Amino acid sequence: MTHTRENIADLSINELLGREIACSCGHAHSIPMKRVLIGSGVTTDIPRTLRECGYKKALILSDRITWDIAAKDVAEYLERDGFPYETLVLEGRVVPDEARIGEIIIHAPRDADIIIAVGTGVMCDIGKMISYKMDIDTAAVVTAPSVDGFASKHAALVIGRLKVSFTTHCPTIIVGDVDVLKNAPMSMIIAGWCDIMGKFSCLSDWKISHIVNDEYYCETLADMVYRSVRICRDNLEALKLREPHAVQSVMEALVLAGIAMSFIGNSRPASGSEHHLSHCWELRTAKEGKELAPHGIQIGVGEALISMLYGWLKTETVDFATARAIPFDERAWEAGVHDYFGSDADDILKEIRGDHRYDADVRARRLAALEKNWPAVLEIVRAMPAHEEIVAMLKSAGTATAPADIHLTDKEAADSIRHAKEVRNKYTVLGVLDDLGLLETYAARIEAK
């Protein structure tokens, strides 16, 4: 059976796993994940699920906080079932750096065939990296629905004080017990909700790149993610009351976003210009030794900024002849990259030169495609929720809506808009504005606010 945007909604999350999904986009999607348990009391199903998936011994990995929240219950159920396991509880503040990774590898039992990482993004990323290095599987027992990376094969680690994304193992089992999730700090629940709201711009960015660059685009997966976004948006009031069905909808949306990423082998269905702003903010604050708001809260602010850019573009009178005549000042651009990214600039410049994204002929092809397909691009731009709508949703959620709310100045926000297109080789609305000669104009507007 070939799945389309209409009938894929009939599949449960577990029906997406363990087989190839023939898709109307022409690709067969698959993911090595074996089981997803989301619902009330599903922690009790862990021993049975481990046995059904063929595992023989587990290492339960947690920190002191997540031990008390959920890991001790996992251990209790494994004990009752007679399933072999060992535990490793990390003390103190857990930073996913080389020291922690080394510590865990030293103490991990050699006969474990699955790591059960209990916690949120940090613990799950550590679990992925350890399982990758030990060449065994990993399960994520999530204690707060805070990020969309649980189901992805990427792990964000801190190397040399900088956050670096590594390709690792996708978890084979994900557990989201709603009885645990609904009691997480509301700030973490809302962070996950904000991460989901960021899909408005990332899906728009992806579709624009498909039109301009002929980048692969799967309408079925995009619509699958978008449906979950709408469900989470419409359940915000219930989420604020910690109602189980609303908390479950956020957790399912976060997992679905990760599954979509794994299906196509990159982060396009879940990460776009809003995430690129966040990457810039994290790079800069890490260098300065500052703490920044949680990832999801950053994404909410990034979404507000990007929706503002989309809104301005909706009413712009685009002059393609003028855009084609704008020269690319490579020396000034390179100096700007060095000034903004500092010690990371050389690596960024090397990658950009390798993919030739700013070569004159490449830019000319993009501009030609933009001009030819401008009505279709403008349709996507106009379909993006208005800035006022995004801000109203964020305010209703009681979360940050502007750079100042996460201790960023308007200049820092504007500078990130100027440079965020450099951090990933993904064409987004920031690239569109740059090609049209509007990026600096729009960044200056934000700086002058």
Side-chain angles (χ1 to χ4, degrees), residues 144-438:
S146 55
V147 294
D148 64 6
F150 300 122
S152 82
K153 63 181 180 180
H154 295 98
L157 306 178
V158 178
I159 307 298
R161 296 184 63 185
L162 293 178
K163 183 174 284 189
V164 180
S165 179
F166 288 87
T167 299
T168 59
H169 283 169
C170 175
T172 54
I173 299 171
I174 293 180
V175 180
D177 193 322
V178 174
D179 295 340
V180 174
L181 300 177
K182 71 180 182 180
N183 293 317
M186 183 53 68
S187 60
M188 299 184 78
I189 295 173
I190 294 300
W193 179 86
C194 287
D195 209 350
I196 293 300
M197 293 306 105
K199 309 316 175 214
F200 281 117
S201 57
C202 93
L203 292 174
S204 300
D205 288 342
W206 188 19
K207 197 168 188 178
I208 289 173
S209 185
H210 170 63
I211 292 173
V212 175
N213 296 312
D214 198 28
E215 180 181 346
Y216 164 68
Y217 175 79
C218 178
E219 187 176 45
T220 300
L221 294 183
D223 198 60
M224 181 182 78
V225 173
Y226 191 60
R227 283 176 183 160
S228 68
V229 174
R230 294 198 302 269
I231 290 170
C232 291
R233 177 196 61 192
D234 295 344
N235 279 300
L236 175 58
E237 292 306 313
L239 185 70
K240 287 155 61 177
L241 297 174
R242 301 178 184 271
E243 292 186 12
H245 77 276
V247 175
Q248 181 164 336
S249 72
V250 171
M251 185 64 198
E252 288 176 344
L254 294 169
V255 171
L256 276 172
I259 288 173
M261 286 189 278
S262 291
F263 271 172
I264 70 166
N266 63 57
S267 61
R268 261 303 191 183
S271 171
S273 48
E274 75 298 326
H275 273 73
H276 298 171
L277 294 181
S278 171
H279 293 324
C280 284
W281 300 337
E282 290 182 345
L283 279 171
R284 296 278 291 188
T285 54
K287 290 177 183 297
E288 297 164 3
K290 296 179 181 178
E291 290 287 338
L292 199 58
H295 171 77
I297 305 303
Q298 294 177 48
I299 298 307
V301 174
E303 187 70 1
L305 286 169
I306 295 299
S307 68
M308 186 181 297
L309 304 184
Y310 266 98
W312 290 337
L313 187 57
K314 290 176 187 180
T315 60
E316 191 73 51
T317 301
V318 175
D319 185 340
F320 284 97
T322 298
R324 282 193 294 272
I326 297 172
F328 177 58
D329 188 337
E330 184 171 0
R331 182 172 297 180
W333 164 74
E334 183 174 331
V337 171
H338 274 289
D339 182 61
Y340 187 78
F341 291 105
S343 59
D344 296 307
D346 287 340
D347 288 339
I348 289 171
L349 290 169
K350 181 179 179 181
E351 180 179 349
I352 292 172
R353 291 193 174 106
D355 61 44
H356 304 287
R357 73 186 82 159
Y358 297 138
D359 287 6
D361 59 331
V362 174
R363 181 172 178 270
R365 285 198 298 271
R366 287 200 302 266
L367 275 168
L370 276 168
E371 185 171 19
K372 178 182 178 181
N373 299 287
W374 187 243
V377 172
L378 196 55
E379 183 179 347
I380 298 167
V381 171
R382 288 173 174 163
M384 174 74 185
H387 171 69
E388 294 77 12
E389 181 183 348
I390 295 293
V391 169
M393 286 194 304
L394 294 172
K395 283 185 176 179
S396 180
T399 189
T401 64
D405 297 334
I406 57 173
H407 309 294
L408 293 173
T409 66
D410 288 335
K411 178 172 177 14
E412 288 172 323
D415 283 343
S416 66
I417 285 169
R418 292 179 175 105
H419 296 288
K421 60 186 173 59
E422 321 295 3
V423 299
R424 294 288 187 273
N425 184 20
K426 288 182 185 175
Y427 195 67
T428 71
V429 69
L430 298 174
V432 173
L433 295 176
D434 187 51
D435 283 340
L436 296 178
L438 296 170

